[in-house]
Amino acid sequence: MPERTARWLAGVMWFECAALSAAVLAVFLPWEAMDAIHAEMGLGRMPKAPIVEYLARSLSLIYASLAPLCGFLARDVGRYREVIAFQAVVKLVAGTGLLALDLAIGMPLYWTACEGPLVILLSIAVLLL
């Protein structure tokens, strides 16, 4: 892999690492703050139920737990090329699923336009690099 391509690929991977790391904040966010964000998004009051809080926090934890893997792989993109490509294909499918889910459940347009498409674009960038 050419050095310039490797640097670009590592940069994309580090960007993804940083973005995924930010999800750890939601794991510890006070319930009142989650409710306020939910309302600010135009979704009304967040239902106060254990399963809702569990899903919000555990999904954030899962996102955050993927960050170290991205950082680890970004350290040597040549060596981990096959794993990186496999991960990108999985994320491409997941991003498509997120887009379909967001459309099906009626998430706000700005959310729908950012979540799935961003995962799809990052996956395509990784695969092209």
Side-chain angles (χ1 to χ4, degrees), residues 51-67:
I51 191 66
V52 174
E53 187 170 359
Y54 165 78
L55 290 172
R57 294 184 191 285
S58 65
L59 180 59
S60 296
L61 187 58
I62 289 169
Y63 276 136
S65 72
L66 294 173

Side-chain angles (χ1 to χ4, degrees), residues 20 32 38 49 72 88 97 103 113:
L20 289 167
E32 295 76 20
H38 194 265
F72 180 82
L103 289 168

Side-chain angles (χ1 to χ4, degrees), residues 15-125:
F15 171 80
E16 190 173 2
C17 177
L20 289 167
S21 294
V24 77
L25 299 174
V27 176
F28 303 103
L29 201 62
W31 174 262
E32 295 76 20
M34 282 197 284
D35 184 40
I37 292 167
H38 194 265
E40 192 68 30
M41 290 175 63
L43 300 172
R45 300 297 308 242
M46 192 163 171
K48 181 70 171 149
I51 191 66
V52 174
E53 187 170 359
Y54 165 78
L55 290 172
R57 294 184 191 285
S58 65
L59 180 59
S60 296
L61 187 58
I62 289 169
Y63 276 136
S65 72
L66 294 173
L69 176 61
C70 287
F72 180 82
L73 296 174
R75 292 177 17 189
D76 192 343
V77 294
R79 179 177 181 185
Y80 300 116
R81 184 178 181 162
E82 289 182 17
V83 176
I84 292 168
F86 175 76
Q87 181 186 32
V89 170
V90 170
K91 288 179 182 177
L92 184 60
V93 172
T96 304
L98 286 170
L99 179 58
L101 182 62
D102 289 348
L103 289 168
I105 64 176
M107 288 300 286
L109 182 59
Y110 66 87
W111 184 279
T112 302
C114 290
E115 186 183 34
L118 180 60
V119 173
I120 292 167
L121 289 174
L122 284 172
S123 300
I124 290 170

